[in-house]
Amino acid sequence: MKVLSLGKRSVAVLAAIGLAVGGTVVSAHAATAPAFIDCQLFAAGEPDHIDPALTSTLVGANVATMLFDGLTDTDANGNLYGEVASKWKSPDGSKTWVFTLKKGLKFSNGESVLPSSFVNGWKRSMDSKLASEVAYHGDFILGMNAYSTGKGAFPASSVVANDAAMTLTVKMENPTADWPSIAGHSVFSPIPTSMVGASDKVEEDGTKLVGNGPFMLASAITKRAGGEVVLVPNPNYGGKASSISKLTAKIFSDTNAAYNAFASGQCDSGPIPAGRYTELLTKWGTKGVKSTLGTDYWGFNWEDPTVGGKKNKYLRSAIAKAIDRQQISDVIYQGVRKPATGLLPPGLPGYKAGQGLTATRDLTGAKADFKRWSDAGNKVSSPLRISYNDGAGWDKVASIIIANLKEVGIPAKLDPYPADGTYFSKMRKGQGQIIRAGWFADYPIADNFLYPLLHSKSIDGDNLERYNSAAFDALIDSARSTTNKSFSQSQYRRAEIQALRNDVVITQTVNRGIATVLAPSIATFPITPLGMVVYDQIVKN
Amino acid sequence: MFTYTVKRLLQSLIVVWAAVTLMFALFFVIPGDPISLKSGEKALPQDILDNIERKYGLDKPVYVQYLRFWGNLFRGDLGYSYKNDKSVNTILHDGLSTSARLLFWGALFQLIIALTVGLTSAIKRGSLGDRIGTVFSVGIQGIPVFVSGLLAQYLFGVLPFQLHWEWLNFFKPWPQSWHAGVIPGDSWKGIILPALVVAVVDAAFIARMLRSSLLEVLRADYIRTAFAKGLSARRVWFHHALRNALIPVVTVYGTSLIAIFGVAVQTEKVFSLPGMGSTIADSALSQDAPVVLGLAIVVIAFGAVVNLIVDLSYALIDPRIKIDAKAVH
Amino acid sequence: MSEIEQIPESLSYWQDVRKRFFGNKISIVGLVMLVILIIAGIVGPFISGWKYDNLGPDILVGPGTNGHWFGTDDLGRDIFTRVTFGIRLSLTVAIVVTTISVFVGVTLGGIAGYFGGWIDTLISRFIDTWQVIPFVLIGFAIITVFGSSFWVIVAALVFTGWYSTTRLFRASVMQVKSLEYVEAARATGATTKRIILRHIGPNAIPPIIVVLAFSVAGAILSESIYAFLGVGFREPTPSLGVMISSSRNFLTDKPFVFFIPGSILVLLTLSIVLIGDGLRDALDPKLRGVK
């Protein structure tokens, strides 16, 4: 999962109050506040990074957002709020954005957080020599792509800091109404002057990765598997003080080992091994369960002679109607991932329920559609290939889909690929037939789903179906170029219907969710819709 | 002997070079473009992939990468992980400290089990103990390490936990210190199961070797003479029989050390230990080639050194080998 | 020793071997176990009434529930059908791998052992190189790149198994070559082909038979290890290793999901090891005449 995000405190309002009393409050608080130990599951070699400029995984980004505060953030209810920025406006129809920053905020080393701290941070994270995997998020900024690909200098005229007036002016490549949401991504974090030009190994020295978030690194992160990341409250933090005095994230390379450590009382939270959601959530409670801004779906290769194109619509709609989303949700995810009704997940601004062709199973409809397609002289000459990347339980979802299709009389077979990278690169080249896909929001905006996943300009990229529809493209293009929020919203909704109902190029299955088991002493465990645990607001009895 | 040693040493170096080159080809050349595999559910733009390739020097021709790899190796630099830019030297150090402890305790248990079982079945040949020993040593060969590991977890972890027999629960976290296991306390418990699982695989084989080798020695004339001279049974056993019988066993022990990596991978995976084996396995699956290669070099060099020692000790023990070696080369 | 005298003696040798093998109780146990498992592998999937990839409504039910003799797994698939299929798969892979490995081993080992000289040095050093690379790494390299289809897995297993048969056959040929009657045959002017086919071949065969048995067991183990480590067969292919690997999550509550495929795998390899062990004793010329 390549997920990035923001998320933290929803209490930015309190920042100014906390400021007055400063560090003493934090340290006095720390003496009485409980510590929290997270038995976190990290895959092999993870966290990839906890440096906000480099991390591209959920676990890494979660630590990074605890260490760094961005201009904006999304709270546990999915609302955008100013974190370092107090307000923002665009004088010219989203072509330029001016952020006004709060005064008096500090990094953990005492240095002030200024508009130029952001310029320094972006100069570092977009540097082609740092080669960050997430640098492309900067492409929204005028001239940034040339810098991040090593073809040009940093576009100083596009990112202008005025430290005296505490304003940061950003020029966009194209009008971008959603820029304030995008600017909350951790790749846009500020850095102190001591981190200017820091290498990709700065996190391995605990004293050098210095942020402005509620926590700071207590020691270096060296070991991955078998090691731990230890965070302590940032004494110079300007926002509300952390509710816990210490956060220890233990790193395991295996879900079972992590759960066992949790169950034996070594940690306050832990992951749930596959297939044991019902059992363990019954046992430990459901406070750690949260629906997140992600959707799983299966796409049809638009260029495939059997399933693709306008003429095979009724085969696709038969498949979409045959899939038993409830069964997938119950058997595989045991309710943690719930049946989806459209591509955009609930909680995303602009979400509307029921945008997909169908959310419930319609066996009669599936049989009728299949018959209609067959009567037109079509037939499935060899079993349809259900392609997926192995190792994350997709084989089980695919097995259910095959069984579902069998009842309609549509033959299908499993088509597994060994590694994620191989799978996605083959699918991008159009080698799939029925394609396992999914998306997790980078920023909570509709465009972050519809443009990369289905626009014809995203072919060879995340448009795995190679879907090419002039009607769909026109809707998205018009939504992108307008500053009228309600008009763009309705255009995005029409586009979703165009792809999911009129063309049936993809069919959604379930919305994503996170499930964590928690020790009985944990009273509150806030998680943002972007999957970030808000550690500084954990309440432990 | 000197020329033979030098010759054999040179051969070992060539073997290591060839094996490392083979691994380089398998992990750097055949997969084609490891960086493109960084694109997962979210595609990375080609420009970003190019940046990353430049950072790791993968934009250079293969022969340049290969030469640079050896150059860095001679400077003691194993490169950096594609996944988290961590130095492979550090990853190696972390993994090695776990694996070395696992293998140390495993080898110790192995020796104890092999000697006990082997000696008992040789001394009390045909007894119930001997027969049990034989069945045990044949039987264990049919049990893969990951199955015995899971079985051990069930019998000495899950079951005692469910029955509240805490004294029997040995499924504990892996201790972080070297001396755990010697110093009393609870941490030694975490070592027992993984080390035993490593130990039993070849312990059975070595015990059988010891038994048959002992029986052969006992039939030899000089042992009969020793008994005939009226030496005490204990003296004959330990001074004459065991000493001579151990020679073939030691060489078998050496070759079993080469195979121990395969055992370590499974044990570390089953018990979720952060050792070399599990690190290589995980890195290979995520195509983190520098980590795989960096750690594999150590395993390969270890295998070559053990081979060398075995061959040299053969030559020392049995002069005929030297003649044979000369004849062959 | 002339050829004419040798034939009746070699006949009696095989009679002797047979007598010794069937006189060994442990080998008989192994043989009976293997036969039962093979029969189960052949007929099991047909008589259970379920298909190995059919998802049923009964999830993780214990043995004997609703006509599932061995219970079901987390997707409601019949475990009996899956393990019997697993036996079939394990044996098929092992036999194919062993056949290819032995073919390679006999060819290369025979060449190296008989001709000696530089070709022997070349082959031997190549084996040395290959041997110091841990076998799991070769599997990882091949399978992560080429996928986990049947023939890729077979290739990976052959790559990890060919050198031990080669090494053994080479040693065996070298030993036999130096025996008196071969030298005698050579002295009488027999051709190389004749010497290899009539003299060296038959005498180098007994160790090959033993190796054959152990290679089959070894291939079964390696296949399951690959599957366990995630580089062998994958779901929904009912490989025993795959089943054991996915049973880990249920070890605490539904241990039968682990114990059934686990014990089948152990019984399968154990029966072959026992047979191999019996064969080794029976074929060992040093034990001739000993009962």
Side-chain angles (χ1 to χ4, degrees):
Chain A
M1 235 189 324
K2 286 209 158 111
V3 174
L4 248 267
S5 167
L6 0 150
K8 244 146 296 166
R9 292 137 317 283
S10 52
V11 278
V13 210
L14 294 174
I17 306 165
L19 201 74
V21 255
T24 46
V25 167
V26 175
S27 47
H29 184 74
T32 52
F36 185 87
I37 303 173
D38 183 13
C39 273
Q40 187 56 274
L41 162 73
F42 290 129
E46 288 185 0
D48 58 336
H49 285 286
I50 56 171
D51 185 336
L54 289 158
T55 178
S56 65
T57 56
L58 187 62
V59 283
N62 206 155
V63 176
T65 58
M66 288 297 112
L67 296 171
F68 289 85
D69 275 359
L71 289 167
T72 60
D73 204 352
T74 303
D75 68 17
N77 300 318
N79 301 316
L80 184 72
Y81 68 95
E83 196 159 49
V84 172
S86 57
K87 56 179 184 187
W88 52 86
K89 63 173 197 312
S90 174
D92 56 357
S94 308
K95 194 84 178 121
T96 308
W97 283 93
V98 182
F99 290 83
T100 306
L101 273 57
K102 294 170 188 166
K103 283 182 187 153
L105 298 183
K106 286 194 171 87
F107 288 98
S108 61
N109 64 0
E111 191 180 321
S112 292
V113 181
L114 299 170
S116 58
S117 314
F118 284 89
V119 177
N120 289 337
W122 300 3
K123 209 179 250 175
R124 173 172 179 261
S125 58
M126 310 296 160
D127 189 345
S128 65
K129 290 202 182 60
L130 192 74
S132 166
E133 277 181 47
V134 288
Y136 66 89
H137 291 295
D139 291 358
F140 289 100
I141 300 166
L142 182 65
M144 193 61 92
N145 181 271
Y147 174 65
S148 66
T149 55
K151 294 183 192 99
F154 183 76
S157 59
S158 305
V159 189
V160 180
N162 183 337
D163 287 355
M166 288 299 270
T167 59
L168 183 68
T169 308
V170 188
K171 284 204 183 83
M172 302 280 96
E173 187 83 41
N174 298 304
T176 313
D178 287 318
W179 172 249
S181 297
I182 298 167
H185 195 288
S186 62
V187 76
F188 299 111
S189 296
I191 55 169
T193 48
S194 64
M195 270 182 74
V196 170
S199 80
D200 51 9
K201 285 161 202 76
V202 65
E203 64 200 12
E204 294 190 19
D205 182 332
T207 59
K208 287 191 182 145
L209 188 72
V210 173
N212 60 334
F215 289 99
M216 58 185 217
L217 268 181
S219 53
I221 164 168
T222 50
K223 255 190 187 175
R224 291 310 201 267
E228 54 189 29
V229 180
V230 182
L231 305 185
V232 291
N234 168 5
N236 291 314
Y237 187 54
K240 189 189 171 195
S242 165
S243 57
I244 54 173
S245 62
K246 188 177 173 188
L247 168 65
T248 308
K250 295 190 174 221
I251 307 173
F252 291 84
S253 55
D254 175 284
T255 328
N256 281 292
Y259 173 74
N260 289 338
F262 164 79
S264 63
Q266 294 175 40
C267 322
D268 296 306
S269 72
I272 301 179
R276 297 180 68 187
Y277 292 112
T278 311
E279 173 210 346
L280 298 180
L281 291 175
T282 312
K283 186 171 177 185
W284 299 100
T286 54
K287 277 178 201 147
V289 179
K290 172 87 182 182
S291 295
T292 52
L293 295 180
T295 306
D296 292 343
Y297 63 88
W298 293 75
F300 302 96
N301 183 349
W302 196 246
E303 294 166 357
D304 184 85
T306 311
V307 301
K310 295 264 180 215
K311 80 178 177 76
N312 294 312
K313 179 185 167 182
Y314 285 100
L315 175 62
R316 295 196 296 274
S317 67
I319 294 170
K321 287 174 183 173
I323 293 175
D324 192 342
R325 294 168 184 79
Q326 194 64 47
Q327 189 186 3
I328 294 171
S329 169
D330 290 347
V331 174
I332 314 290
Y333 304 111
Q334 296 162 16
V336 169
R337 292 189 185 191
K338 297 195 171 62
T341 66
L343 175 62
L344 301 184
L348 192 86
Y351 163 80
K352 191 173 167 229
Q355 295 279 90
L357 183 68
T358 175
T360 49
R361 190 168 198 220
D362 176 8
L363 198 53
T364 334
K367 281 180 179 156
D369 284 354
F370 185 53
K371 185 166 183 297
R372 187 166 168 182
W373 178 76
S374 306
D375 288 350
N378 298 307
K379 69 178 193 349
V380 181
S381 45
S382 61
L384 300 177
R385 286 180 292 114
I386 314 266
S387 310
Y388 56 90
N389 51 322
D390 212 341
W394 299 114
D395 52 318
K396 299 191 167 173
V397 181
S399 300
I400 289 181
I401 291 176
I402 287 175
N404 290 160
L405 295 184
K406 208 181 212 171
E407 288 176 56
V408 183
I410 304 172
K413 64 170 188 193
L414 298 176
D415 181 29
Y417 288 79
D420 286 20
T422 323
Y423 169 72
F424 285 106
S425 70
K426 292 251 155 85
M427 293 303 116
R428 283 184 183 113
K429 289 185 191 120
Q431 294 180 16
Q433 204 162 26
I434 299 178
I435 303 160
R436 179 320 262 175
W439 191 258
F440 196 91
D442 292 307
Y443 353 94
I445 58 177
D447 189 74
N448 183 242
F449 279 77
L450 296 167
Y451 182 81
L453 296 181
L454 295 164
H455 197 281
S456 65
K457 282 194 184 137
S458 306
I459 289 176
D460 294 332
D462 290 316
N463 183 348
L464 301 176
E465 296 74 27
R466 305 179 73 81
Y467 175 53
N468 191 342
S469 156
F472 180 89
D473 289 358
L475 288 166
I476 296 291
D477 294 342
S478 69
R480 289 194 134 200
S481 57
T482 182
T483 50
N484 180 337
K485 257 217 154 110
S486 66
F487 176 69
S488 76
Q489 195 168 72
S490 87
Q491 293 300 84
Y492 282 128
R493 282 184 182 158
R494 286 176 61 195
E496 193 182 2
I497 285 180
Q498 175 67 29
L500 271 70
R501 266 199 245 174
N502 300 352
D503 285 337
V504 207
V505 63
I506 59 168
T507 184
Q508 81 288 349
T509 48
V510 290
N511 289 128
R512 292 194 174 166
I514 285 182
T516 311
V517 280
L518 296 171
S521 61
I522 306 302
T524 317
F525 191 75
I527 305 173
T528 72
L530 288 164
M532 299 287 144
V533 178
V534 192
Y535 287 102
D536 55 322
Q537 286 176 27
I538 287 172
V539 178
K540 189 177 177 184
N541 296 324
Chain B
M1 186 65 202
F2 177 73
T3 30
Y4 177 67
T5 309
V6 171
K7 206 176 237 172
R8 197 62 196 74
L9 196 67
L10 283 176
Q11 274 171 8
S12 297
L13 287 177
I14 293 172
V15 162
V16 170
W17 166 78
V20 172
T21 303
L22 196 65
M23 292 295 296
F24 184 87
L26 283 173
F27 281 94
F28 276 88
V29 184
I30 294 176
D33 186 4
I35 292 305
S36 77
L37 302 178
K38 279 205 155 206
S39 278
E41 197 170 278
K42 296 196 175 178
L44 296 179
Q46 192 54 47
D47 292 335
I48 296 290
L49 294 174
D50 291 346
N51 280 348
I52 300 172
E53 287 203 348
R54 266 198 300 278
K55 176 162 126 180
Y56 296 118
L58 294 170
D59 52 335
K60 304 273 186 311
V62 169
Y63 74 92
V64 176
Q65 293 180 39
Y66 180 69
L67 291 177
R68 185 184 283 179
F69 166 77
W70 280 105
N72 290 340
L73 189 63
F74 281 120
R75 282 197 300 275
D77 175 8
L78 292 171
Y80 296 92
S81 158
Y82 290 163
K83 190 141 189 178
N84 52 30
D85 296 301
K86 233 168 110 63
S87 152
V88 177
N89 296 39
T90 323
I91 296 174
L92 174 67
H93 174 266
D94 292 347
L96 204 55
S97 76
T98 293
S99 295
R101 270 182 290 155
L102 175 66
L103 296 186
F104 170 76
W105 291 109
L108 193 70
F109 289 162
Q110 188 175 55
L111 208 62
I112 296 169
I113 298 172
L115 283 179
T116 318
V117 174
L119 279 176
T120 321
S121 38
I123 296 171
K124 310 241 166 175
R125 189 144 87 101
S127 71
L128 185 68
D130 177 31
R131 269 179 287 164
I132 292 173
T134 307
V135 172
F136 164 76
S137 27
V138 176
I140 206 85
Q141 291 176 37
I143 304 182
V145 177
F146 68 95
V147 173
S148 55
L150 286 173
L151 185 66
Q153 279 179 21
Y154 186 76
L155 293 181
F156 301 103
V158 174
L159 215 51
F161 184 75
Q162 286 170 351
L163 297 173
H164 301 289
W165 293 351
E166 206 32 48
W167 58 273
L168 196 64
N169 192 346
F170 285 87
F171 190 34
K172 299 283 177 197
W174 178 252
Q176 295 295 323
S177 66
W178 264 99
H179 47 76
V182 183
I183 293 174
D186 219 19
S187 60
W188 61 272
K189 280 191 168 182
I191 282 177
I192 302 287
L193 292 184
L196 270 182
V197 166
V198 169
V200 290
V201 190
D202 279 331
F205 184 55
I206 296 167
R208 271 169 78 76
M209 256 327 266
L210 182 61
R211 177 180 179 271
S212 58
S213 150
L214 262 174
L215 292 179
E216 210 160 296
V217 170
L218 287 179
R219 262 182 263 144
D221 290 340
Y222 63 90
I223 296 290
R224 292 184 192 185
T225 318
F227 273 118
K229 278 202 307 198
L231 291 176
S232 77
R234 177 184 291 254
R235 196 176 157 77
V236 175
W237 269 106
F238 285 95
H239 217 84
H240 297 271
L242 193 55
R243 210 165 150 194
N244 285 293
L246 274 181
I247 294 170
V249 174
V250 167
T251 54
V252 169
Y253 195 70
T255 40
S256 95
L257 273 180
I258 300 177
I260 208 143
F261 178 77
V263 176
V265 175
Q266 295 173 65
T267 313
E268 289 172 10
K269 285 298 271 181
V270 167
F271 288 94
S272 303
L273 307 181
M276 296 242 300
S278 53
T279 307
I280 289 193
D282 293 341
S283 306
L285 281 178
S286 59
Q287 311 239 328
D288 197 345
V291 179
V292 177
L293 200 57
L295 271 58
I297 289 170
V298 177
V299 180
I300 288 169
F302 176 73
V305 168
V306 171
N307 259 343
L308 182 68
I309 293 172
V310 167
D311 277 12
L312 290 181
S313 53
Y314 257 138
L316 271 179
I317 295 163
D318 190 346
R320 275 173 303 174
I321 303 287
K322 259 191 285 184
I323 298 160
D324 187 38
K326 272 187 195 131
V328 171
H329 305 293
Chain C
M1 201 189 288
S2 81
E3 275 179 62
I4 300 142
E5 279 167 353
Q6 220 195 326
I7 291 161
E9 200 192 329
S10 109
L11 273 179
S12 78
Y13 168 71
W14 289 109
Q15 279 170 339
D16 201 32
V17 165
R18 198 160 59 209
K19 213 160 101 188
R20 269 205 309 272
F21 181 79
F22 286 105
N24 185 340
K25 270 184 226 138
I26 295 178
S27 321
I28 300 296
V29 170
L31 196 63
V32 170
M33 255 163 37
L34 184 63
V35 169
I36 294 172
L37 287 169
I38 289 175
I39 292 173
I42 293 169
V43 303
F46 299 113
I47 59 166
S48 70
W50 307 93
K51 290 189 77 179
Y52 76 85
D53 57 352
N54 253 16
L55 312 173
D58 302 315
I59 308 255
L60 287 169
V61 296
T65 318
N66 290 347
H68 295 290
W69 298 334
F70 285 176
T72 60
D73 66 9
D74 55 325
L75 286 182
R77 297 176 297 198
D78 184 58
I79 293 180
F80 178 81
T81 317
R82 289 178 67 76
V83 289
T84 45
F85 237 105
I87 297 171
R88 190 190 285 189
L89 183 70
S90 292
L91 284 171
T92 315
V93 170
I95 289 167
V96 173
V97 168
T98 307
T99 311
I100 300 175
S101 301
V102 167
F103 180 75
V104 173
V106 165
T107 315
L108 286 182
I111 291 172
Y114 186 80
F115 293 105
W118 66 269
I119 191 154
D120 178 34
T121 312
L122 192 73
I123 292 172
S124 300
R125 291 303 146 248
F126 193 58
I127 291 175
D128 284 351
T129 306
W130 209 264
Q131 199 201 1
V132 294
I133 301 179
F135 84 98
V136 284
L137 281 183
I138 296 170
F140 279 136
I142 294 171
I143 293 170
T144 45
V145 173
F146 296 105
S148 55
S149 66
F150 180 84
W151 288 106
V152 173
I153 291 170
V154 165
L157 291 170
V158 169
F159 276 129
T160 61
W162 68 274
Y163 59 82
S164 51
T165 50
T166 306
R167 171 172 283 205
L168 195 107
F169 199 72
R170 170 182 171 271
S172 181
V173 166
M174 279 175 86
Q175 198 187 354
V176 174
K177 193 175 75 168
S178 63
L179 292 180
E180 282 160 21
Y181 62 83
V182 176
E183 289 186 5
R186 190 176 294 145
T188 60
T191 60
T192 305
K193 185 179 159 197
R194 190 179 164 82
I195 291 173
I196 291 176
L197 290 181
R198 299 264 336 193
H199 300 278
I200 297 184
N203 284 287
I205 278 175
I208 290 293
I209 292 174
V210 175
V211 167
L212 215 64
F214 285 108
S215 317
V216 171
I220 293 175
L221 284 184
S222 305
E223 185 269 304
S224 68
I225 291 168
Y226 279 156
F228 175 76
L229 294 175
V231 286
F233 286 107
R234 288 151 196 275
E235 291 275 11
T237 311
S239 151
L240 294 169
V242 170
M243 279 180 261
I244 295 167
S245 177
S246 53
S247 75
R248 289 182 67 188
N249 291 353
F250 312 105
L251 194 63
T252 44
D253 309 282
K254 311 279 179 188
F256 66 89
V257 184
F258 159 69
F259 276 99
I260 291 167
S263 45
I264 296 286
L265 177 62
V266 170
L267 287 179
L268 190 61
T269 45
L270 191 59
S271 63
I272 298 169
V273 168
L274 290 178
I275 293 170
D277 214 52
L279 278 175
R280 179 165 53 197
D281 287 350
L283 291 165
D284 191 347
K286 274 189 271 181
L287 294 173
R288 278 188 80 173
V290 181
K291 290 206 177 115

